């Protein structure tokens, strides 16, 4: 059985069509990432799945339940980690977790939660004295209090430093090894690539692509030829600066390489950093969302 199954989902706010008929299926135990630019309809979709918003049309099943009709039963089986959970700042970490535990029939033990999110040393510290990254770990622990079968993670690592991000990713992987299904929304393609078995890209209320991250990258096809040019040197025609390097999207790799190397030889430029790279998930994402917005 799918953990999430959505058919023909639609939702409009007055004259804004936020979600325009999407199908989505998330398998039990997988990490699924929902990607898309601001305003694409991700939050609306996720809030319908969580039972906080009602769809205008379509069928929605989450853990086999109807989030609208079976809201109570569903809440006991899902965990939600919002970008900011607004907990009481003057309670300690342990007190906060204990308090939330009382909402659940079978909560995960507080000590286990502290261990899981790496906050054991901070258990007696007041929430307001935690660093930003530590607060987010507490948010994550709060989403896990009820030992959920399905966890909704909304941009879980925004504001994390690189090592905290790696740790959070490891934590999500640990959770999935325990069988938890995760629906992740993120603006970090690297995060989706690292964590998700499958991703769906939303744009203007529609799903414009879906699949494994590497499949999507291959589907987009066009390879990139990347290189640096010396300071003050005009780059060859068609080259665009991206991520600190010049890049040409090559339909025909041999021809593009020939043009670039000819250009370099004629000018005596050494092209030490020349490389041919497959498109990344981010390249594909940018291509898909700009195409979809152009035709919206
Ligand atoms: P972000 O990445 O910025 O969080 P999103 O993909 O989650 O964006 P949504 O929040 O679902 O996008 O918004 C989709 C569209 O619906 C946007 O145009 C937004 O302005 C509109 N919208 C969302 N909530 C409401 C609301 N309560 N009332 C009216 N319009 C809304």
């Amino acid at each position: 059985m799918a953990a999430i199954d959505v058919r023909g989902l639609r939702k409009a706010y007055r004259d804004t069509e936020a979600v325009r008929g999407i199908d989505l299926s998330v398998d039990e135990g997988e990490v699924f990432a929902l990607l898309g630019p601001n305003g694409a309809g991700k939050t609306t979709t996720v809030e319908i799945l969580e039972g906080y918003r009602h769809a205008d049309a379509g069928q929605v099943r989450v853990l086999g339940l109807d989030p609208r009709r079976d809201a109570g039963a569903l809440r006991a089986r899902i965990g939600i980690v919002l970008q900011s959970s607004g907990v009481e700042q003057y309670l300690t970490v342990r007190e906060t977790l204990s308090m939330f535990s009382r909402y659940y029939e079978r909560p995960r033990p507080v000590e286990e939660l502290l261990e899981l999110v790496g906050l054991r040393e901070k258990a007696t510290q007041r929430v307001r004295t935690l660093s930003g990254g530590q607060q987010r770990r507490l948010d994550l622990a709060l989403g896990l209090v009820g030992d959920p079968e399905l966890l909704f993670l909304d941009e879980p690592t925004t504001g994390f430093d690189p090592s905290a991000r790696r740790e959070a990713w490891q934590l999500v992987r640990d959770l999935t090894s325990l069988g938890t299904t995760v629906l992740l929304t993120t603006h970090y393609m690297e995060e989706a690539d690292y964590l998700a078995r499958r991703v769906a890209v939303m744009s203007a209320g529609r799903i414009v692509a879906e699949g494994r991250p590497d499949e999507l990258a291959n589907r987009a096809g066009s390879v990139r030829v990347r290189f640096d040019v010396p300071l003050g040197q005009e780059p060859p025609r068609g080259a665009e600066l991206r991520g600190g390097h010049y890049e040409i999207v090559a339909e025909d790799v041999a021809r593009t390489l020939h043009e670039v190397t000819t250009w370099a030889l004629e000018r005596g430029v050494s092209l030490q950093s020349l490389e041919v790279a497959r498109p990344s998930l981010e390249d594909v994402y940018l291509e898909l969302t700009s195409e979809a917005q152009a035709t919206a």
Side-chain angles (χ1 to χ4, degrees):
M1 191 188 67
I4 296 175
D5 192 37
V6 169
R7 301 284 143 218
L9 179 66
R10 289 184 172 274
K11 173 76 186 175
Y13 305 100
R14 291 173 187 263
D15 41 11
T16 307
E17 275 193 273
V19 179
R20 304 176 185 213
I22 64 167
D23 297 339
L24 197 65
S25 178
V26 177
D27 294 337
E28 267 181 14
E30 80 172 329
V31 179
F32 190 99
L34 202 51
L35 310 174
N38 295 135
K42 306 179 298 294
T43 308
T44 302
T45 303
V46 169
E47 287 180 352
I48 291 169
L49 299 177
E50 293 165 349
Y52 287 106
R53 277 192 195 283
H54 295 159
D56 294 339
Q59 285 145 19
V60 180
R61 279 275 174 280
V62 179
L63 301 175
L65 300 172
D66 175 342
R68 183 172 185 175
R69 226 187 32 222
D70 314 315
L74 185 62
R75 296 272 155 81
R77 295 172 59 192
I78 63 174
I80 299 175
V81 181
L82 298 171
Q83 282 185 57
S84 146
S85 46
V87 294
E88 176 57 66
Q89 296 292 301
Y90 286 91
L91 292 181
T92 66
V93 170
R94 184 179 276 118
E95 285 165 350
T96 307
L97 290 172
S98 303
M99 194 175 82
F100 275 78
S101 296
R102 290 187 213 120
Y103 301 138
Y104 293 91
E105 232 169 78
R106 278 185 300 279
R108 219 182 207 127
V110 170
E111 298 311 311
E112 190 183 310
L113 285 166
L114 289 168
E115 187 69 43
L116 196 62
V117 301
L119 281 178
R120 207 154 44 90
E121 260 88 78
K122 304 283 170 190
T124 56
Q125 223 167 289
R126 290 191 198 287
V127 172
R128 73 181 174 89
T129 66
L130 298 177
S131 74
Q134 290 161 351
Q135 297 218 8
R136 296 295 287 133
R137 289 188 204 196
L138 176 59
D139 292 337
L140 192 53
L142 291 173
L144 296 171
V145 169
D147 199 7
E149 291 160 59
L150 168 63
L151 186 66
F152 291 94
L153 281 180
D154 183 20
E155 298 184 30
T157 64
T158 299
F160 279 27
D161 67 40
S163 64
R165 172 163 297 146
R166 284 278 158 178
E167 282 174 30
W169 289 354
Q170 191 53 51
L171 176 56
V172 173
R173 286 208 163 162
D174 292 348
L175 285 176
T176 52
S177 69
L178 299 173
T180 314
T181 308
V182 177
L183 182 68
L184 166 79
T185 54
T186 182
H187 288 291
Y188 297 114
M189 294 306 122
E190 202 194 340
E191 181 161 290
D193 207 5
Y194 188 87
L195 286 178
R197 192 171 75 101
R198 286 188 303 140
V199 303
V201 180
M202 272 190 95
S203 183
R206 292 198 172 86
I207 289 181
V208 293
E210 190 188 324
R212 287 202 326 261
D214 59 330
E215 258 172 24
L216 288 192
N218 284 338
R219 209 183 296 165
S222 308
V223 162
R224 271 79 178 149
V225 173
R226 284 196 193 113
F227 47 91
D228 295 325
V229 304
L231 221 54
Q233 169 74 55
E234 271 289 303
R237 215 154 33 87
E240 281 185 24
L241 198 55
R242 273 196 57 196
H245 306 283
Y246 281 100
E247 193 174 281
I248 298 177
V249 177
E251 299 303 333
D252 179 341
V253 182
R255 177 179 295 279
T256 303
L257 276 175
H258 178 70
E259 285 167 1
V260 171
T261 49
T262 306
W263 170 89
L265 285 172
E266 283 170 357
R267 288 159 185 80
V269 172
S270 76
L271 284 190
Q272 278 177 2
S273 61
L274 179 69
E275 65 169 355
V276 177
R278 284 194 342 161
S280 65
L281 184 60
E282 180 154 316
D283 294 324
V284 178
Y285 171 85
L286 290 171
E287 253 174 48
L288 284 167
T289 51
S290 63
E291 272 168 25
Q293 273 174 342
T295 57

